[in-house]
Amino acid sequence: MSVNNPQTREWQTLSSEHHLAPFSDYKQLKEKGPRIITKAEGVHLWDSEGNKILDGMAGLWCVAVGYGREELVEVAAKQMRELPYYNLFFQTAHPPALELAKAVSAVAPKGMTHVFFTGSGSEGNDTNLRMVRHYWALKGKPQKQVIIGRINGYHGSTVAGAALGGMSGMHAQGGTLPGIEHIPQPYWFGEGGDMTPDAFGVWAAEQLEKKILEVGEDNVAAFIAEPIQGAGGVIIPPDTYWPKIKEILAKYEILFIADEVICGFGRTGEWFGSDYYDLKPDLMTIAKGLTSGYIPMGGVIVRDEVAKVLSEGGDFNHGFTYSGHPVAAAVGLENLRILRDEKIIERVHEETAPYLQKRLRELNDHPLVGEVRGLGMLGAIELVKDKATRARYEGQGAGMICRQFCFDNGLIMRAVGDTMIIAPPLVISHAEIDELVEKARKCLDLTLEALK
């Protein structure tokens, strides 16, 4: 990235001298310097060099209603003047948190009318770990401690979140805990081999039952999974996967946690991924789209039967200083109003998601593309050396090369290995979808040339 603005260099120096960035190679970041984002509007960002960039990742999957919504700014300012902060500990509450709990319950799957607020999705999954173990202890089954997750699943970056997730790089850096097991992911393109997608979906689901029997049903507290794996590479399970998982869950006395941090609040064209797949979770982790990323907030939506057991069990010794923060709750409430009143999710379902998926699949003809998949406002492009065998450009970092070309050509598209992924703001227009796909094709051309 060329730097012409002296202030860019000043900010990059501050980064090098004082800032430890998340998920970063510090040596590499110091050599290159970060791109400095200075403003945003709609689905576009601008950096300190004046470059306009289409944000194909909605920040980190979260800016559902787009940048620059004055309504969210105004409710935050109003709430700051009225009650900038108070906690929910010690038999105390405040209107924004209570009203938001009601509003979230109104859009949640049937029978899920209780909400525990946190500051993030990671904290939400920490809460799930504590809550399900506490639940089983109250039920007289304290030995039910084990939680089963999936390899390459992502459930946050706290120790509990990283442990529940199945990312080896995080586990290697202190992200493990006892009592957590993992089963294979339903990633047909990368791991399905010669099996058909349907056969692989059944096989992957059957690994849950195999693990339950291996650990012992009496020891398993819960199964946690994203409806669609986001950070793992927008892994959309084969059609046979979730029906088989539901069949298995119905056989055993364990709880099901749906991590809806990415899929929730319209990303799939339904309010939740659990609605899209007709799942019946006992707990749902929420964050990101809850406030469109304008202010940090997360939570857990709890099925009524589980909440009833918790409500009769005395103290739940868990919570956070910023659980249900009044300013975050006010923003969340207004964000849900915007999603509802402007019928943004209906528009995604009926108009923009079908158009995005149609345009994305036009990239299937590119010689570098092995598969394009997507659902709602989610998409993935697999980069391959050989379309027939699905063989990769091993050791050449095709994904990172493509990501850099995207940055340099006005598009944010994320690389997960050699899988390019997108999740644009839900308010993206047809013209902006055209812009996204055209820029993606240009970057694929540049990547292919570089790999040659």
Side-chain angles (χ1 to χ4, degrees):
M1 168 183 166
S2 60
V3 174
N4 299 308
N5 180 354
Q7 191 151 29
T8 301
R9 188 63 70 198
E10 290 177 24
W11 282 321
Q12 289 178 336
T13 300
L14 290 179
S15 170
S16 175
E17 293 180 354
H18 302 292
H19 185 225
L20 294 173
F23 282 93
S24 295
D25 179 326
Y26 295 136
K27 182 175 183 291
Q28 185 184 78
L29 186 61
K30 186 170 185 175
E31 290 169 355
K32 291 180 64 177
R35 176 172 294 227
I36 309 297
I37 303 300
T38 55
K39 67 175 184 176
E41 185 69 30
V43 302
H44 289 94
L45 308 165
W46 283 261
D47 67 18
S48 55
E49 295 296 300
N51 297 305
K52 184 180 180 181
I53 310 155
L54 194 156
D55 184 3
M57 284 304 303
L60 275 177
W61 319 84
C62 52
V63 188
V65 301
Y67 297 97
R69 293 300 302 241
E70 282 298 319
E71 304 98 312
L72 300 182
V73 177
E74 288 166 9
V75 297
K78 181 175 182 290
Q79 187 60 49
M80 282 188 172
R81 293 187 186 101
E82 197 168 283
L83 179 68
Y85 171 74
Y86 201 69
N87 66 77
L88 301 179
F89 289 36
F90 316 126
Q91 299 184 3
T92 304
H94 49 68
L98 301 177
E99 290 169 10
L100 181 60
K102 180 183 177 183
V104 168
S105 298
V107 299
K110 185 178 179 182
M112 302 189 78
T113 64
H114 295 77
V115 186
F116 186 104
F117 288 116
T118 67
S120 67
S122 296
E123 287 183 4
N125 282 321
D126 276 40
T127 299
N128 284 325
L129 188 148
R130 296 278 308 281
M131 191 175 280
V132 299
R133 289 175 172 174
H134 178 54
Y135 167 84
W136 286 116
L138 292 174
K139 295 271 285 182
K141 299 182 178 183
Q143 76 281 5
K144 288 176 81 70
Q145 293 273 314
V146 175
I147 299 177
I148 300 171
R150 298 188 298 196
I151 295 167
N152 204 37
Y154 185 81
H155 300 299
S157 193
T158 56
V159 174
L164 290 167
M167 295 194 165
S168 58
M170 299 175 75
H171 291 173
Q173 295 178 343
T176 58
L177 287 173
I180 297 173
E181 300 281 342
H182 296 91
I183 61 172
Q185 60 184 334
Y187 181 23
W188 174 80
F189 186 86
E191 300 174 5
D194 294 330
M195 298 174 76
T196 65
D198 282 354
F200 180 73
V202 171
W203 176 86
E206 287 174 340
Q207 303 314 298
L208 173 60
E209 185 166 35
K210 183 179 178 182
K211 183 61 71 174
I212 292 169
L213 295 174
E214 176 190 315
V215 173
E217 180 186 0
D218 290 344
N219 299 315
V220 178
F223 171 56
I224 183 169
E226 305 155 85
I228 295 168
Q229 285 164 256
V234 182
I235 295 167
I236 299 168
D239 292 342
T240 52
Y241 181 77
W242 279 118
K244 186 65 177 178
I245 288 286
K246 287 191 288 183
E247 182 185 311
I248 292 164
L249 288 170
K251 288 172 63 175
Y252 298 98
E253 192 183 21
I254 67 172
L255 298 177
F256 172 41
I257 305 165
D259 187 329
E260 294 270 6
V261 170
I262 285 172
C263 291
F265 303 103
R267 181 62 53 190
T268 64
E270 304 287 347
W271 274 97
F272 295 96
S274 294
D275 296 323
Y276 183 88
Y277 287 110
D278 190 30
L279 308 179
K280 299 288 188 290
D282 298 290
L283 304 101
M284 284 174 33
T285 324
I286 55 172
K288 295 191 186 293
L290 174 60
T291 63
S292 280
Y294 276 59
I295 196 163
M297 193 174 212
V300 178
I301 311 176
V302 181
R303 186 160 293 282
D304 295 348
E305 293 87 342
V306 175
K308 184 175 187 294
V309 172
L310 298 174
S311 70
E312 295 171 352
D315 281 358
F316 180 41
N317 297 308
H318 178 78
F320 305 96
T321 301
Y322 301 119
S323 289
H325 191 288
V327 179
V331 171
L333 198 59
E334 179 65 7
N335 180 65
L336 294 188
R337 185 201 65 75
I338 291 170
L339 287 171
R340 184 185 64 247
D341 290 359
E342 296 185 8
K343 299 190 181 302
I344 289 172
I345 297 171
E346 290 88 338
R347 183 166 176 265
V348 167
H349 179 85
E350 295 164 14
E351 298 177 35
T352 50
Y355 186 71
L356 172 67
Q357 298 305 330
K358 173 179 171 290
R359 289 297 328 266
L360 275 180
R361 279 161 180 75
E362 293 171 14
L363 298 173
N364 269 316
D365 66 1
H366 197 280
L368 186 58
V369 174
E371 178 183 72
V372 177
R373 61 179 176 270
L375 193 159
M377 282 290 157
L378 290 161
I381 303 165
E382 297 280 5
L383 307 185
V384 296
K385 189 173 187 177
D386 187 303
K387 285 174 175 278
T389 64
R390 311 202 289 267
R392 305 284 192 175
Y393 282 90
E394 294 294 342
Q396 295 187 54
M400 295 304 286
I401 292 169
C402 187
R403 188 185 78 165
Q404 189 59 51
F405 280 125
C406 289
F407 264 110
D408 294 342
N409 287 276
L411 173 64
I412 291 178
M413 188 158 62
R414 185 169 169 180
V416 177
D418 286 349
T419 307
M420 306 307 298
I421 60 175
I422 61 155
L426 303 188
V427 294
I428 193 170
S429 68
H430 283 216
E432 290 159 344
I433 289 169
D434 291 340
E435 178 190 348
L436 187 158
V437 174
E438 286 156 15
K439 287 181 173 179
R441 183 175 287 277
K442 177 182 179 181
C443 295
L444 289 170
D445 289 341
L446 293 166
T447 302
L448 182 60
E449 188 62 33
L451 290 167
K452 287 178 179 176

